[in-house]
Amino acid sequence: KIINTSKSFICLNDIGKVYHWGFSLGKIKSNTRSELDKVFVTDIFTNGSSVVALTDNGKIVVWGSGSKGGKIDNNTKNILDNKTITNVYYNKYSFVVKTDDNNIYAWGNKNRGGELAIYDKDNNIINNNIILENIKNIISTDTAYVAIKDDNTVVTWGNESGGGNLTTQITNVHTIKSTSKAFTAIYNYDGTSGNIISWGDQNYGGDIMLSAEAKKSYYVDKISENTFTKLFSNKYSFCVINTDNRVFVWGLPKGGGYASTKARKALSSGVINIISSSSAYCAFKDDMSIITWGQSDKGGKLGSVYRWIKNEKLGKFMYKLDKEIYKNQVKLLKTGVVLVKGCKFGFSAIKRDNENYNV
């Protein structure tokens, strides 16, 4: 396994040894290096500023930014030294672990999930009596967490500006997705479909009603129905599919929270799956066609080329090239698409022509 940060790489091989290079996290203090050499590491995790290495006997080794999880406070460390850790979760500022006796422990930035408490946007404490029991999964934004319990209810903590303070009780939770600053859940799930609820930063998808489609007369009724089956997100926005295979989108407009009138019409039926990049989406339809929306140079527009060009003449040439590529790709991908994969920067599709497959 290899994980990367903006300035370094950390590698784990199949015999439990950790290697590192680069700046920042790529440089490890001698005592931490010595500790890593004595253990068999089974997995590694990073939030970009700190690293947690999980060993085969349920212990952890950490390094990196002390304020973002690279150092465990003495009280938590003493507890974890006598526990067996089974799962590791993290956000941009903190880490959370689950132990084999089903307890949850956190460290890092206290206002952003590193303490089992809820803080307001000004970092004033709202609730420091968060009880976490019988947790089966944990999802995070940059500054908050939501835990799904065995009974399919949820508990939140962290900063309320990032979704750490859900004030509505929800049950029968089917799935939860996150952007960098908000959560959305499908709940009241009856085995086929459920309702949706969003919370957190409104601009990043925390309010379903902040949608371009919300002005339509049908929107409130449609979005309130118990008909949603699949939920998707990227860094900035959410989208859902209902039982009519119709898609609804909301969140930051340039990050996939807005679909053009033409795209919305195409998304009104027949959608069976959606793939996301960091700020765009690609919907796969039952007629083997695809629809894209979101940031153009992250896959939101077919044929768009990622570029930052200061030269005016070259810029005009690239614009013309964009239009030509777009026309060709729209024609090529009108039908016959059998698989779409996404990454941070865009999408790739496999198209079938008779017995041939093309990428």
Side-chain angles (χ1 to χ4, degrees):
K1 180 177 181 178
I2 298 177
I3 57 177
N4 68 289
T5 68
S6 61
K7 298 180 180 179
S8 63
F9 292 92
I10 299 96
C11 173
L12 173 64
N13 68 13
D14 58 1
I15 58 172
K17 297 303 178 184
V18 174
Y19 300 90
H20 48 91
W21 61 95
F23 293 97
S24 186
L25 295 178
K27 295 182 178 181
I28 303 178
K29 292 181 179 180
S30 58
N31 59 330
T32 304
R33 180 67 263 178
S34 177
E35 193 175 356
L36 286 170
D37 290 338
K38 296 176 183 178
V39 296
F40 187 103
V41 176
T42 58
D43 209 346
I44 48 178
F45 310 85
T46 183
N47 60 9
S49 300
S50 302
V51 179
V52 170
L54 179 65
T55 71
D56 60 347
N57 64 347
K59 305 303 178 185
I60 54 174
V61 180
V62 306
W63 70 94
S65 172
S67 63
K68 297 180 180 179
K71 183 179 180 180
I72 307 176
D73 61 274
N74 290 333
N75 182 53
T76 301
K77 188 178 187 306
N78 289 336
I79 294 173
L80 293 179
D81 283 344
N82 297 299
K83 299 280 186 176
T84 299
I85 296 168
T86 58
N87 300 86
V88 178
Y89 309 92
Y90 57 90
N91 67 18
K92 192 174 180 179
Y93 297 91
S94 61
F95 286 90
V96 174
V97 295
K98 179 181 177 181
T99 57
D100 63 350
D101 56 0
N102 291 316
N103 285 311
I104 303 294
Y105 301 91
W107 70 92
N109 190 307
K110 290 185 177 182
N111 305 329
R112 291 168 170 81
E115 179 183 29
L116 300 182
I118 299 172
Y119 287 81
D120 66 19
K121 63 181 181 179
D122 297 317
N123 297 324
N124 300 307
I125 197 162
I126 297 174
N127 184 354
N128 62 353
N129 188 32
I130 303 300
I131 300 174
L132 293 170
E133 297 176 335
N134 303 315
I135 303 301
K136 64 180 181 179
N137 194 20
I138 295 175
I139 303 97
S140 66
T141 62
D142 283 353
T143 59
Y145 295 93
V146 57
I148 305 177
K149 302 179 68 173
D150 289 338
D151 63 0
N152 294 319
T153 58
V154 301
V155 180
T156 62
W157 73 96
N159 201 286
E160 69 171 353
S161 64
N165 188 22
L166 176 61
T167 57
T168 302
Q169 184 176 2
I170 57 176
T171 59
N172 293 330
V173 173
H174 174 57
T175 186
I176 295 177
K177 297 287 186 179
S178 66
T179 63
S180 59
K181 298 183 180 182
F183 295 103
T184 293
I186 294 181
Y187 70 107
N188 283 344
Y189 191 71
D190 61 10
T192 303
S193 62
N195 296 101
I196 54 172
I197 183 173
S198 296
W199 67 98
D201 190 311
Q202 295 182 346
N203 295 319
Y204 284 71
D207 187 346
I208 304 171
M209 297 310 298
L210 292 182
S211 166
E213 207 171 352
K215 297 178 182 178
K216 302 294 183 180
S217 59
Y218 58 79
Y219 185 81
V220 174
D221 289 338
K222 285 286 185 182
I223 214 73
S224 302
E225 292 176 346
N226 186 304
T227 59
F228 295 96
T229 59
K230 295 180 180 179
L231 172 63
F232 308 89
S233 69
N234 62 25
K235 190 175 180 180
Y236 304 100
S237 61
F238 296 101
C239 57
V240 289
I241 302 176
N242 70 6
T243 51
D244 294 327
N245 296 108
R246 178 175 188 159
V247 175
F248 294 88
V249 308
W250 68 99
L252 196 69
K254 292 183 178 180
Y258 170 80
S260 67
T261 301
K262 183 178 179 181
R264 285 206 304 271
K265 184 177 180 181
L267 293 170
S268 64
S269 65
V271 178
I272 56 178
N273 195 21
I274 296 174
I275 302 93
S276 65
S277 70
S278 63
S279 52
Y281 295 98
C282 179
F284 192 67
K285 299 191 68 174
D286 54 12
D287 62 0
M288 301 176 75
S289 65
I290 59 174
I291 307 298
T292 63
W293 71 98
Q295 188 172 333
S296 296
D297 55 19
K298 294 297 191 298
K301 179 182 178 182
L302 289 172
S304 183
V305 180
Y306 182 81
R307 63 187 186 279
W308 290 98
I309 299 171
K310 294 182 179 180
N311 184 288
E312 185 178 355
K313 289 183 178 180
L314 182 57
K316 289 180 178 179
F317 170 76
M318 292 300 291
Y319 176 74
K320 291 180 180 179
L321 181 62
D322 251 15
K323 294 183 70 175
E324 190 64 29
I325 294 174
Y326 170 72
K327 290 178 182 178
N328 291 336
Q329 286 196 348
V330 168
K331 183 178 179 180
L332 180 67
L333 297 173
K334 189 174 182 180
T335 187
V337 178
V338 295
L339 180 67
V340 177
K341 290 290 185 179
C343 68
K344 182 177 181 180
F345 299 104
F347 305 96
S348 296
I350 296 178
K351 175 184 169 67
R352 180 176 181 176
D353 290 316
N354 297 319
E355 298 303 317
N356 298 316
Y357 292 88
N358 300 300
V359 179

